[in-house]
Amino acid sequence: MSANYDALSRSIRIELDLTGTCNARCPLCARNYKHIDVKYNERHLNEITDQLDQFPNAKYVHLVGAFTEPTLYRNIYDLCRYLIKRNIAIEICTNGDTHNPEWWAELGKILTERDSVYFTICGSTQELHEIYRVGTSLANIRANAKAFREANVHKVDYIQHILFDYNAHDLESGGMDELLEEFSNINLTQTLYRRDLSVYKNSFNLDKMLITPELKRKYDVIIESAKKKWQDKVDGKHDYDIDCRSFHNRSIHIDQFGRVYPCYIWLEESRKEEWDLDYKKIKDFEYECCQICEKNCKKLMDMWDLEIL
């Protein structure tokens, strides 16, 4: 069996970028990396579904995107209908400030009990929310989420609240209690961190809006260890084992041009490096972008209950 066929046939989770564009300007987004030049591209629905047909065992499609807002894809209704027809569960992660309540109500009518929609909100007031979710309106998000929730009988709406250093106190506020009560499900996460600020095109106030010092310390330990192990590998000093989460989770990432990557980290780190669908090369640590998944680094992440960004 070829590496190409094996990678496609074994994949059950697919993360899909749809357009290469977004209405928000979140500072930590990979769109802001100096080495990233995100170009708009919107493939025809038939091109996307034809590609997805090559994944016969797909069970989950995540419309999240490394660089994009998925609900800006013009044919997302029909894409969802295709996935539902194939009994593929749909996960949409959105900033929620697109279109209008009528549009969101229609999406609510389409999605099933297998699906989920995460509305990302980072504060109970517009002032707090827009510190990170730049360019989005909390009032619009709440109205759109309400319309979706009222149209969908399956209660598959989530509020995804990301905890930053600046908004931690807000979790205990009456306004946040009221906001959390509006949604059927709650998903609270910490800010993820992997990069130093030098990779970003624009400067911003790290102390004000990003991560707690303790979380940064832990990630820094992992990052420095990963960099050292890659350099040891390059210098021929030592071989290391890669614990590839993509391989274990049988997941794959497709960008807005239809190019296939093992994961979004590869996409963000190695946009100029093609992947030949061969996991053996990943396991043999042939790619620099895989350094964060070195086995001992992964053990530290598991021990500290951290996620890869």
Side-chain angles (χ1 to χ4, degrees):
M1 183 178 293
S2 69
N4 185 307
Y5 179 81
D6 184 54
L8 299 180
S9 65
R10 75 185 302 278
S11 296
I12 62 173
R13 298 178 182 275
I14 302 170
E15 185 171 284
L16 192 60
D17 263 305
L18 291 173
T19 65
T21 192
C22 187
N23 57 302
R25 302 185 303 278
C26 304
L28 278 179
C29 179
R31 299 173 67 84
N32 301 320
Y33 296 169
K34 290 177 181 176
H35 68 283
I36 296 294
D37 181 21
V38 183
K39 297 185 182 297
Y40 171 81
N41 185 68
E42 190 165 351
R43 293 193 291 161
H44 191 279
L45 176 66
N46 288 344
E47 183 180 345
I48 294 176
T49 56
D50 285 349
Q51 183 177 30
L52 292 176
D53 283 342
Q54 298 176 41
F55 295 83
N57 296 309
K59 295 181 180 179
Y60 311 93
V61 165
H62 306 274
L63 304 179
V64 180
F67 311 108
T68 66
E69 166 54 44
T71 63
L72 292 177
Y73 181 62
R74 285 174 287 186
N75 289 313
I76 193 169
Y77 289 165
D78 287 335
L79 175 59
C80 288
R81 292 185 179 105
Y82 159 86
L83 295 171
I84 290 167
K85 187 175 180 180
R86 281 192 58 186
N87 292 318
I88 295 175
I90 303 165
E91 177 185 287
I92 299 175
C93 188
T94 174
N95 63 58
D97 190 18
T98 58
H99 308 293
N100 54 42
E102 290 73 26
W103 187 96
W104 283 95
E106 182 61 28
L107 182 65
K109 295 173 185 176
I110 294 171
L111 297 188
T112 73
E113 69 278 359
R114 295 190 303 272
D115 308 320
S116 55
V117 178
Y118 290 81
F119 294 86
T120 306
I121 295 174
C122 295
S124 64
T125 67
Q126 178 64 25
E127 180 182 16
L128 280 174
H129 171 76
E130 69 181 350
I131 289 176
Y132 185 69
R133 298 294 165 185
V134 179
T136 65
S137 165
L138 179 58
N140 289 348
I141 298 167
R142 294 174 81 164
N144 290 338
K146 181 175 184 290
F148 174 86
R149 187 165 49 251
E150 291 177 347
N152 182 278
V153 300
H154 305 294
K155 299 185 182 300
V156 296
D157 62 295
Y158 289 73
I159 178 173
Q160 184 175 30
H161 181 278
I162 300 180
L163 181 65
F164 295 89
D165 202 21
Y166 76 83
N167 68 6
H169 68 280
D170 188 47
L171 271 179
E172 306 300 324
S173 70
M176 182 54 70
D177 287 342
E178 179 182 338
L179 188 56
L180 296 176
E181 283 293 327
E182 292 179 11
F183 288 82
S184 303
N185 305 281
I186 299 171
N187 182 38
L188 301 177
T189 62
Q190 291 191 89
T191 315
L192 302 181
Y193 170 86
R194 188 164 53 85
R195 294 182 164 275
D196 60 73
L197 296 183
S198 66
V199 303
Y200 289 95
K201 298 173 185 175
N202 302 309
S203 61
F204 46 84
N205 190 331
L206 179 67
D207 293 333
K208 178 181 180 182
M209 60 180 307
L210 301 182
I211 65 174
T212 63
E214 176 63 18
L215 189 61
K216 182 180 186 302
R217 184 191 67 79
K218 291 178 178 178
Y219 273 114
D220 283 345
V221 168
I222 294 169
I223 294 164
E224 290 307 311
S225 175
K227 288 180 178 178
K228 181 182 183 302
K229 287 178 170 60
W230 170 251
Q231 194 58 52
D232 286 348
K233 162 76 175 180
V234 171
D235 295 340
K237 294 180 179 179
H238 201 288
D239 287 327
Y240 294 95
D241 294 326
I242 297 299
D243 186 9
C244 179
R245 186 171 297 182
S246 170
F247 181 81
H248 292 310
N249 291 347
R250 298 171 64 181
S251 61
I252 217 152
H253 188 104
I254 302 175
D255 75 1
Q256 71 267 26
F257 298 97
R259 295 175 298 209
V260 179
Y261 300 85
C263 63
Y264 66 89
I265 292 177
W266 182 301
L267 175 61
E268 292 177 1
E269 294 285 353
S270 306
R271 287 176 67 81
K272 295 181 180 179
E273 188 169 22
E274 297 291 332
W275 182 47
D276 61 4
L277 301 179
D278 188 351
Y279 278 110
K280 184 178 185 302
K281 293 180 181 179
I282 292 177
K283 294 178 179 180
D284 289 341
F285 202 2
E286 293 190 19
Y287 304 106
E288 183 176 3
C289 62
C290 296
Q291 61 183 268
I292 200 69
C293 288
E294 187 275 329
K295 195 170 185 179
N296 290 310
C297 291
K298 289 286 290 297
K299 285 181 179 178
L300 285 175
M301 288 186 211
D302 292 340
M303 181 178 71
W304 287 330
D305 194 25
L306 301 178
E307 297 180 63
I308 298 176
L309 174 61

